[in-house]
Amino acid sequence: MYVDRNAFKECVTSYAVHSGRGIWFSKCDSHRCKAVCKEGCKWFAYCHKMKREDSWQLTSCYKKHTCSMATKIGIMSSQWLSKAFMKKICENPKIKLRSLIKKAHSKWNVDLTMTKAARVKQQALDEINGTYGEQYRRIHDYAAELLRSNPGSTVQIQVERPTEFELETPPPGTDIRPRFQRIYICLDACKRSFMVCRPMIGLDGCFIKTPYGGQLLTAIGWDPNDQILPIAYAVVEAETKDSWIWFLLNLCDDLGVDKIRWCTFMSDQQKVTLNLNLYN
């Protein structure tokens, strides 16, 4: 008995991979599913949906194979492989594709292409971390959790809205949902720590290597142990004068003008031209 058709197909796929057989589905619809082996082999498994129930039942099968083992399993989907490699990728998200290919060959004696290995790794990472789109949609939940677990912190989110948002009746099918643009974060513990440290702030930015891109802007202090002290950071759409001014304005609001006034700023030449005295 199986919960649904997908459960039966997943079971057959696992059997095909572990036994090294070229099994494929000759019939597959909403009421029946039949798995057969390659031509000349008598093995088969037939499953159908039960009446007045959502479950499926295996009704007939022939267990003996008359064929040789195969190194390429057609029904071995990337989705099944991502579940099989889930634990390994979770332990090492930066695992190389060639390692996955070698693992599949040594464990099941099957050949994987680089394209399929990359698809398997990405699907496993999406399952572990959630897709990037889903994470951006929960950015306000993330901000609320930061404020709940770190009272006194500052989180500022800026979004952009399409021009159709201002219309009383937007055109049908137009996506008028706001899109994430920037987020600024300054944790209360870091803020209070910097207030008793030497007045020196380092500014820098770096690229974010994700499908959506962006820039990470940071303000770093210097603690009494000569270690770096993160003060605030922000994710912005690009490293521009406007984004830096927005970041520094929020930083001034957090630290106060009296503290910022006496600070020495250290940055590369691209940011030296910024007017840091924003309140004068």
Side-chain angles (χ1 to χ4, degrees):
M1 300 291 292
Y2 299 92
V3 176
D4 52 20
R5 184 187 62 184
N6 291 332
F8 170 71
K9 293 178 69 175
E10 185 174 347
C11 181
V12 172
T13 302
S14 299
Y15 171 77
V17 174
H18 287 89
S19 61
R21 304 292 179 177
I23 298 173
W24 58 287
F25 295 104
S26 61
K27 296 179 182 179
C28 189
D29 53 36
S30 59
H31 296 283
R32 58 181 180 174
C33 186
K34 183 177 181 180
V36 298
C37 199
K38 55 187 178 180
E39 188 177 356
C41 183
K42 296 182 179 181
W43 186 95
F44 77 92
Y46 182 80
C47 186
H48 72 87
K49 186 177 181 299
M50 300 185 66
K51 294 181 179 180
R52 296 182 295 276
E53 291 185 21
D54 294 331
S55 57
W56 287 57
Q57 183 179 16
L58 179 68
T59 56
S60 59
C61 66
Y62 188 83
K63 300 180 180 180
K64 294 183 179 180
H65 286 275
T66 57
C67 61
S68 59
M69 297 180 67
T71 57
K72 291 185 179 181
I73 311 299
I75 63 173
M76 185 180 62
S77 62
S78 56
Q79 185 177 5
W80 184 89
L81 280 171
S82 64
K83 293 181 180 180
F85 285 130
M86 186 75 68
K87 183 178 180 181
K88 193 172 187 66
I89 296 176
C90 183
E91 294 173 351
N92 182 17
K94 296 183 179 180
I95 188 172
K96 295 183 178 180
L97 300 181
R98 295 192 180 276
S99 299
L100 296 179
I101 294 174
K102 291 180 180 178
K103 182 69 175 177
H105 186 76
S106 61
K107 187 173 183 179
W108 302 305
N109 194 30
V110 293
D111 297 329
L112 282 184
T113 62
M114 290 291 288
T115 303
K116 193 166 188 176
R119 198 160 56 243
V120 168
K121 181 179 177 181
Q122 188 58 49
Q123 288 182 1
L125 290 175
D126 290 345
E127 184 68 23
I128 295 169
N129 303 322
T131 61
Y132 291 102
E134 291 174 352
Q135 293 187 43
Y136 276 111
R137 281 194 290 270
R138 299 196 61 185
I139 194 72
H140 289 282
D141 295 336
Y142 175 66
E145 179 61 24
L146 282 178
L147 295 176
R148 184 199 65 80
S149 56
N150 302 273
S153 301
T154 302
V155 180
Q156 297 288 344
I157 298 176
Q158 182 172 310
V159 299
E160 58 180 356
R161 299 182 183 273
T163 56
E164 293 82 2
F165 181 80
E166 303 295 336
L167 303 176
E168 293 184 3
T169 56
T174 304
D175 187 2
I176 60 173
R177 292 178 298 178
R179 291 188 176 183
F180 170 79
Q181 187 179 23
R182 300 170 180 172
I183 183 172
Y184 166 86
I185 298 173
C186 180
L187 299 178
D188 181 64
C190 297
K191 184 195 317 182
R192 289 187 286 105
S193 297
F194 177 72
M195 299 303 289
V196 295
C197 292
R198 64 197 80 181
M200 186 172 182
I201 299 176
L203 302 176
D204 201 2
C206 66
F207 291 100
I208 300 177
K209 296 181 179 180
T210 64
Y212 291 100
Q215 292 269 346
L216 177 68
L217 308 183
T218 57
I220 303 298
W222 192 7
D223 68 11
N225 293 326
D226 292 335
Q227 304 292 325
I228 62 173
L229 172 67
I231 305 171
Y233 59 94
V235 176
V236 297
E237 71 282 6
E239 190 175 5
T240 62
K241 184 176 181 179
D242 180 67
S243 62
W244 269 110
I245 290 177
W246 177 81
F247 176 70
L248 292 171
L249 281 173
N250 283 294
L251 186 65
C252 288
D253 291 339
D254 275 328
L255 302 183
V257 180
D258 294 336
K259 181 68 175 180
I260 288 289
R261 179 177 297 159
W262 302 105
C263 285
T264 300
F265 288 86
M266 180 177 64
S267 65
D268 57 28
Q269 294 181 357
Q270 293 178 350
K271 305 173 197 65
V272 171
T273 57
L274 289 176
N275 183 10
L276 298 177
N277 194 9
L278 299 171
Y279 282 90
N280 295 330

